[in-house]
Amino acid sequence: MLGFFKKNKADSTIGLMTTVAAQKGSKSRFHKLRVADIRQETEDCVSVSFDVSDTTAFNFVPGQYLTFKQEINGEELRRSYSICSSPLENELRIAVKRVPEGRFSSWATNDLKVNDVLEVMPPMGNFILEPTPAQEEEYIGFAAGSGITPLLSMIKTVLQHSPKSRFTLFYGNKKTASIIFKNELEDLKDKYLGRLDIHHVLSREDQGNDLLFGRIDEARAKSLIDKLPSSILPAGYFLCGPEEMIHNVSDAIKNSGADQKKIHFELFSSDQASSKLKEEKKESSSKQNLSSVTVVLDGEKTHFEQKPNDFVLDAALAAGADIPYACKGAVCCTCRAKVLEGDVEMSMNYSLTEEEVEEGYVLSCQSMPRSSNVVMSFDD
Ligand code: FES
């Protein structure tokens, strides 16, 4: 059905494009990638591209992210960053914005150099847009700050690959100088005339329009949606930014009567997740019966016993299994596994789809055993 996307090195229009279906079963292993280029995008944001000429493991779907493993000051850190390039550009590029006290982001924006070699996991994630050439669709995007990163990949791919489709972007920042990819977005707007609308919403710079001056809260999101021409019937809404913005915009979209299934989002991180997590762990700390757990990774089984108030990921790592993970906060989905036997209870889930949960997939960083015997596979 989607043969157009099949990898073919000889056809330069295909680039690094793949489908989520084609990625099924691929291994979540770290690869060594050389930094090919670093661009200063804004004062506190760089974009970084990698040399992937030797591997097809890095074919990706617009919207996906890469997970990095790096030792900084003697501590291993893992972080995920969204891909900002389109697979059609035949380039793998991410953007990193420095956050206050962010150890990885400070290192990447200050110390990373061209030709450095990083440990990188192949592209992952369910926050995706897979356009096809025959489609004639309208897409709406809401981004805040570095939340533009996956949306830029989607926008470029839609414009190039689906010539009858359009994209409208609402992009929140503090001021003009902090708009990441401002010039690239303007160039796209000029190149694909009439197919990309961009509305910058600035919280600290008055552009002479009250609607575009302030944060993207629920009321503002509603007003922005209400201003869209009634002829626009979006095929999908794509939201990326901090949790509060995601909730506000989602509520506004739902209240506008849109089908909830059309709303796709990706959180930066979830403060709510970590606090709920602590509560859950405290609540369950009285249940001390041990469970016998087996995790399967690359066909290899690791057995261990664990308490019901511990998460399977932590217990598996302690038992020596090299389970893939990044955020440990229910957001990135890197630690996804399938429950083959027994029951687990997930504390939080911000990244698995309903369909995946129905199929038995769980986030191992959030899963606590709820039966005496549990078998989970990271290979399915
Ligand atoms: S490690 Fe990110 S969701 Fe589990």
Side-chain angles (χ1 to χ4, degrees):
M1 177 175 72
L2 293 166
F4 183 86
F5 292 112
K6 275 186 193 144
K7 177 78 180 168
N8 179 354
K9 285 262 183 194
D11 186 342
S12 62
T13 63
I14 304 297
L16 296 170
M17 187 89 103
T18 189
T19 63
V20 163
Q23 287 176 325
K24 276 217 161 125
S26 56
K27 302 294 177 212
S28 307
R29 285 274 170 237
F30 284 98
H31 297 240
K32 290 192 188 307
L33 293 188
R34 186 185 68 83
V35 173
D37 179 50
I38 300 177
R39 273 202 310 248
Q40 195 74 38
E41 299 291 350
T42 62
E43 192 190 354
D44 55 4
C45 175
V46 295
S47 69
V48 182
S49 74
F50 299 93
D51 178 5
V52 285
S53 51
D54 285 344
T55 175
T56 56
F58 286 84
N59 291 357
F60 65 97
V61 182
Q64 290 192 313
Y65 61 83
L66 301 177
T67 299
F68 297 83
K69 180 169 75 172
Q70 179 69 31
E71 194 174 302
I72 297 173
N73 296 332
E75 191 185 345
E76 182 190 295
L77 300 179
R78 295 186 182 207
R79 297 288 185 274
S80 298
Y81 290 96
S82 295
I83 300 166
C84 59
S85 51
S86 161
L88 300 171
E89 295 173 297
N90 214 3
E91 180 182 64
L92 186 71
R93 184 179 285 271
I94 56 145
V96 182
K97 184 180 175 184
R98 191 165 52 244
V99 294
E101 295 174 37
R103 286 170 295 165
F104 190 101
S105 64
S106 297
W107 170 80
T109 49
N110 295 329
D111 302 324
L112 188 64
K113 293 179 192 60
V114 170
N115 288 329
D116 282 354
V117 174
L118 300 190
E119 293 215 62
V120 192
M121 216 181 271
M124 301 180 86
N126 290 323
F127 179 64
I128 52 162
L129 202 169
E130 297 187 286
T132 64
Q135 282 173 343
E136 191 171 350
E137 303 286 15
E138 298 274 355
Y139 299 101
I140 309 289
F142 277 87
S146 57
I148 188 64
T149 314
L151 266 69
L152 182 64
S153 178
M154 293 176 179
I155 289 168
K156 288 192 278 195
T157 312
V158 165
L159 293 175
Q160 183 176 343
H161 193 52
S162 185
K164 292 185 207 138
S165 294
R166 286 174 34 86
F167 209 109
T168 300
L169 172 69
F170 299 103
Y171 185 12
N173 278 287
K174 285 186 184 142
K175 50 193 179 172
T176 305
S178 55
I179 299 174
I180 306 169
F181 305 126
K182 181 173 185 299
N183 292 341
E184 189 167 358
L185 286 164
E186 294 304 326
D187 288 348
L188 287 168
K189 197 173 152 187
D190 292 344
K191 182 175 176 186
Y192 296 99
L193 224 50
R195 296 181 50 220
L196 173 62
D197 281 336
I198 305 170
H199 304 278
H200 291 292
V201 181
L202 302 180
S203 59
R204 296 199 191 156
E205 193 178 302
D206 190 348
Q207 304 172 81
N209 179 339
D210 285 349
L211 187 54
L212 302 177
F213 183 30
R215 294 169 74 89
I216 304 181
D217 55 16
E218 188 178 338
R220 194 175 308 279
K222 181 183 179 310
S223 302
L224 292 168
I225 291 165
D226 287 348
K227 290 256 183 249
L228 290 170
S230 55
S231 56
I232 290 187
L233 294 171
Y237 298 84
F238 294 85
L239 285 42
C240 187
E243 189 168 6
E244 193 185 359
M245 187 210 87
I246 300 284
H247 287 312
N248 286 338
V249 177
S250 296
D251 288 347
I253 296 170
K254 278 182 236 161
N255 291 337
S256 76
D259 181 352
Q260 198 170 334
K261 286 202 172 122
K262 290 185 176 176
I263 305 173
H264 312 273
F265 65 86
E266 181 146 279
L267 297 172
F268 283 164
S269 63
S270 174
D271 296 339
Q272 199 187 45
S274 13
S275 52
K276 269 201 173 181
L277 214 68
K278 281 175 199 149
E279 274 170 40
E280 295 270 354
K281 281 173 79 75
K282 220 163 48 186
E283 268 172 30
S284 59
S285 62
S286 55
K287 307 168 198 165
Q288 290 299 319
N289 293 336
L290 291 179
S291 292
S292 167
V293 180
T294 302
V295 294
V296 185
L297 179 68
D298 291 342
E300 207 171 287
K301 291 181 180 169
T302 306
H303 302 279
F304 50 92
E305 297 212 315
Q306 73 165 99
K307 293 176 189 168
N309 56 323
D310 289 339
F311 294 120
V312 173
L313 174 70
D314 294 328
L317 291 172
D322 190 16
I323 304 296
Y325 71 92
C327 72
K328 284 195 177 182
V331 172
C332 76
C333 203
T334 312
C335 65
R336 188 185 90 144
K338 191 169 191 177
V339 178
L340 302 182
E341 283 176 36
D343 295 312
V344 302
E345 182 186 339
M346 261 200 294
S347 179
M348 296 295 291
N349 170 27
Y350 285 104
S351 47
L352 290 173
T353 62
E354 274 175 33
E355 291 75 25
E356 284 177 306
V357 173
E358 274 164 26
E359 286 172 28
Y361 288 101
V362 293
L363 300 172
S364 58
C365 75
Q366 302 293 304
S367 297
M368 297 169 281
R370 290 294 176 258
S371 57
S372 57
N373 186 49
V374 172
V375 178
M376 278 167 62
S377 169
F378 289 81
D379 294 342
D380 286 82

